[in-house]
Amino acid sequence: GNTRDIALYPPGKIVHLVKTGERSTCRDSISKIVTCCTSNSGYEYTPGWADNKDFNEIVVSPTMAFDHFPNRVCLEIERVAASFGIDTSLGSTESDCYQGESL
């Protein structure tokens, strides 16, 4: 048959949270052991503007699903906001990040 590639891009402006470091707490270490290193627990993220064309393909990694769980994304966005002095007192708590995970 006749195939055609159609370029698809996410709309709007994108703030990409890039893994830039790692915390070493007991909780994070246990989480990684229990999940065979597929948990993103303990990573530190740095925000940066991304171009829509940066996301023209999907890269699958062992932590991809965990990286995009809504409760984890929310918590990381709040950590970044707090680092800029934005009040996040009405947002998530650290324990929200671990709900549903058995440690």
Side-chain angles (χ1 to χ4, degrees):
N2 201 5
T3 62
R4 196 170 99 178
D5 288 334
I6 299 173
L8 300 175
Y9 304 103
K13 294 184 177 185
I14 300 170
V15 175
H16 187 205
L17 298 177
V18 180
K19 289 180 188 175
T20 55
E22 192 169 354
R23 295 182 307 272
S24 294
T25 66
C26 184
R27 175 182 255 182
D28 298 325
S29 297
I30 291 171
S31 179
K32 287 181 181 173
I33 291 168
V34 170
T35 63
C36 297
C37 294
T38 59
S39 170
N40 67 351
S41 178
Y43 286 107
E44 294 177 355
Y45 298 85
T46 301
W49 289 109
D51 188 73
N52 297 35
K53 294 177 183 173
D54 293 339
F55 299 95
N56 63 348
E57 64 183 16
I58 297 172
V59 178
V60 178
S61 71
T63 63
M64 186 176 115
F66 293 107
D67 289 343
H68 294 90
F69 276 6
N71 59 335
R72 291 179 181 263
V73 171
C74 182
L75 188 60
E76 292 307 323
I77 289 172
E78 288 173 353
R79 283 185 182 153
V80 169
S83 73
F84 285 97
I86 299 170
D87 179 21
T88 60
S89 60
L90 295 176
S92 302
T93 64
E94 186 74 24
S95 64
D96 292 339
C97 180
Y98 298 100
Q99 281 185 348
E101 291 183 17
S102 57
L103 296 179

